[in-house]
Amino acid sequence: MGYDPNNPMEGRITDLGPKYYGDMLPPVIKNNRGKWLYHEILEPGVLVHVAENGDKVFTVRCGSPRLATVSYVRDVCDIADKHCDGFLRYTTRNNIEFMVDSEDKVEALKETIRSYGNQFPIGGTGACVTNIVHTQGWVHCHTPATDASGPVKAVMDDLFEYFGSMKLPAQVRIALACCLNMCGAVHASDIAILGIHRTPPMIDHERITGVCEIPLAIASCPLGAIKPAKATVNGEDIKTVKVNNERCMFCGNCYTMCPAMPLADPEGDGIAILVGGKVSNAKSAPKFSKLIVPFLPNTTPRWPETVKVIRDIVEAYAKDAKKYERVGEWAERIGWEQFFEKTGIPFTDKSIDDYRLAYDTWRTTTQFKFTSHTAAYTE
Amino acid sequence: MATVEHNGSSYEVDEDGFLLKGDADWDENWVDYVKGVEGISEITDEHQKVIDALQEYYKKNGIAPMVRILSKTTGFPLKRIYELFPSGPGKGACKMAGLPKPTGCV
């Protein structure tokens, strides 16, 4: 029975949850679940897992743009039908993995994948730059300060050589969020691209009464910059809010809560770069990423300034870091003053924390290295 | 923005069908209109109790009550609220009560 808008609860099915993952496993995975002995990376993008009974599964990992059409998904299904008995999986970084159960099937699978040109680039394993975890941007969201798909394409085009190779000291995770809601992984990524605003919200007094719960807008401000206020609209006194622009740091939280406080601005908005985060517990504890570039403009459609900064970081890191060292571990070992020196990124006062628990982030030691940055301060 | 006509009255609404001017435009006829679009066959005393609780809280505090507070003041567990308003307390009950559209990451 089709959906009846006059009787919406009729025949309604709900609370089913997702399909049981066990129903969609390739047979070789199903048979050897929990019995894997070891794995190897045969080449960039190709893995083999060996089970206790000698069974092997070969995995070919391909990049994907995350945002995809149904015809793209059908192409993925065609490949899976042709080589993998119709099974495939997506990774937590939105790469696609095709699995086959013997080595002689790998070459044919790769051949088919290559026949799509660069639609399914093989790579993303080991010490590489794998897919960029990203968000909605101008495609769908209403609070972004930058686009998501656009900068991701620009950055991955530039770093493409690192996707299909494994020549970095360790894996480099890049993430993008189009505003500081930070949907995704920017707060804990090796390199993070973050959309930021630089102008305070504009208050639409005419609409605010009907569309805003004013106490929510006031409570949404991390700096207490918003106060209740009165305004006159069409000769009528209404309740509204006032923003102390000196206190506002343009986070946009109030706009999230209140549609009458928009703050997006084409010149003001742009990108900040953060580096040094990680989520794994390998060797060192998980880290948050730290702000190193406060602002880069939204230069559509290729974001050349952002692309260049990220390449500079990746190249300086690749040249200088020790094996297995993540970007954050490298920066902390050499010291952040050296990090700025080696990447050639100018240090600005915007990187100095001034929010509540800021004190712990300042240097309370005489231990530091002389660099061009410290020289500028001691002159 | 769109205008909704119902029984001779007109209401300014947004794309999700929430009143743009809030309680300035709200009346019983609006409840009757939303009843139709939300798939509610009849407004019972229980529906009315939820609407009254939402409006009273909103007038007093300037915000919609949290779901737990709505449950506590009306005595209806969330399950019952969903039975009364199939779209839920936000999209269903708040719309019918003339409260602003819920905001944030919803």
Side-chain angles (χ1 to χ4, degrees), chain A residues 64-127:
Chain A
S64 103
R66 191 182 70 95
L67 193 68
T69 61
V70 173
S71 49
Y72 176 94
V73 175
R74 287 195 173 129
D75 285 348
V76 175
C77 294
D78 284 345
I79 298 173
D81 282 339
K82 199 168 169 191
H83 296 279
C84 316
D85 300 323
F87 294 101
L88 68 101
R89 69 183 290 269
Y90 272 74
T91 69
T92 54
R93 299 191 78 88
N94 304 301
N95 289 308
I96 306 165
E97 286 186 349
F98 299 102
M99 286 148 290
V100 290
D101 53 12
S102 78
E103 188 151 22
D104 43 311
K105 294 178 183 170
V106 173
E107 203 42 55
L109 169 62
K110 277 166 59 187
E111 194 50 48
T112 305
I113 291 170
R114 278 194 223 105
S115 73
Y116 286 84
N118 257 347
Q119 194 172 338
F120 304 107
I122 297 171
T125 54

Side-chain angles (χ1 to χ4, degrees), chain A residues 101-282:
Chain A
D101 53 12
S102 78
E103 188 151 22
D104 43 311
K105 294 178 183 170
V106 173
E107 203 42 55
L109 169 62
K110 277 166 59 187
E111 194 50 48
T112 305
I113 291 170
R114 278 194 223 105
S115 73
Y116 286 84
N118 257 347
Q119 194 172 338
F120 304 107
I122 297 171
T125 54
C128 70
V129 175
T130 183
N131 224 349
I132 300 183
V133 168
H134 64 282
T135 55
Q136 307 267 18
W138 298 329
V139 170
H140 196 71
C141 190
H142 70 299
T143 65
T146 187
D147 192 19
S149 295
V152 163
K153 166 74 171 150
V155 170
M156 280 316 280
D157 276 352
D158 186 59
L159 297 181
F160 193 60
E161 57 183 295
Y162 292 104
F163 182 80
S165 66
M166 305 190 290
K167 54 187 179 183
L168 291 167
Q171 69 269 44
V172 172
R173 300 288 185 241
I174 305 181
L176 177 147
C178 45
C179 81
L180 40 64
N181 267 0
M182 295 192 177
C183 302
V186 291
H187 65 297
S189 289
D190 292 292
I191 302 175
I193 309 163
L194 178 65
I196 52 144
H197 302 285
R198 294 186 302 164
T199 49
M202 297 161 285
I203 303 164
D204 187 345
H205 296 299
E206 295 200 355
R207 284 177 67 221
I208 199 162
T209 311
V211 298
C212 282
E213 301 170 56
I214 286 167
L216 287 189
I218 293 164
S220 73
C221 184
L223 293 175
I226 303 176
K227 281 197 302 194
K230 289 253 195 296
T232 312
V233 174
N234 304 331
E236 231 179 294
D237 273 354
I238 57 139
K239 282 185 195 166
T240 180
V241 294
K242 196 164 76 182
V243 176
N244 179 350
N245 288 351
E246 293 294 303
R247 291 211 122 200
C248 179
M249 60 170 174
F250 331 120
C251 69
N253 264 350
C254 51
Y255 177 61
T256 302
M257 300 317 293
C258 173
M261 299 178 76
L263 78 164
D265 174 78
E267 265 78 52
D269 294 355
I271 280 172
I273 304 287
L274 295 81
V275 303
K278 71 194 263 289
V279 288
S280 86
N281 283 282

Side-chain angles (χ1 to χ4, degrees), chain B residues 28-102:
Chain B
E28 290 296 333
N29 187 39
W30 172 253
V31 173
D32 189 62
Y33 164 73
V34 176
K35 188 181 85 171
V37 292
E38 289 295 318
I40 297 163
S41 50
E42 198 190 348
I43 301 294
T44 63
D45 288 351
E46 287 181 308
H47 287 102
Q48 197 57 51
K49 195 171 171 187
V50 173
I51 295 171
D52 290 346
L54 287 172
Q55 290 186 337
E56 191 185 331
Y57 192 93
Y58 186 74
K59 284 206 179 80
K60 195 168 151 203
N61 300 298
I63 58 172
M66 274 149 272
V67 169
R68 282 156 160 271
I69 293 173
L70 183 65
S71 286
K72 212 168 175 180
T73 50
T74 57
F76 301 144
L78 188 58
K79 192 166 178 291
R80 182 79 193 124
I81 293 174
Y82 268 93
E83 283 162 12
L84 297 169
F85 299 93
S87 314
K91 211 178 145 286
C94 282
K95 184 196 279 184
M96 196 179 258
L99 268 55
K101 181 161 67 182

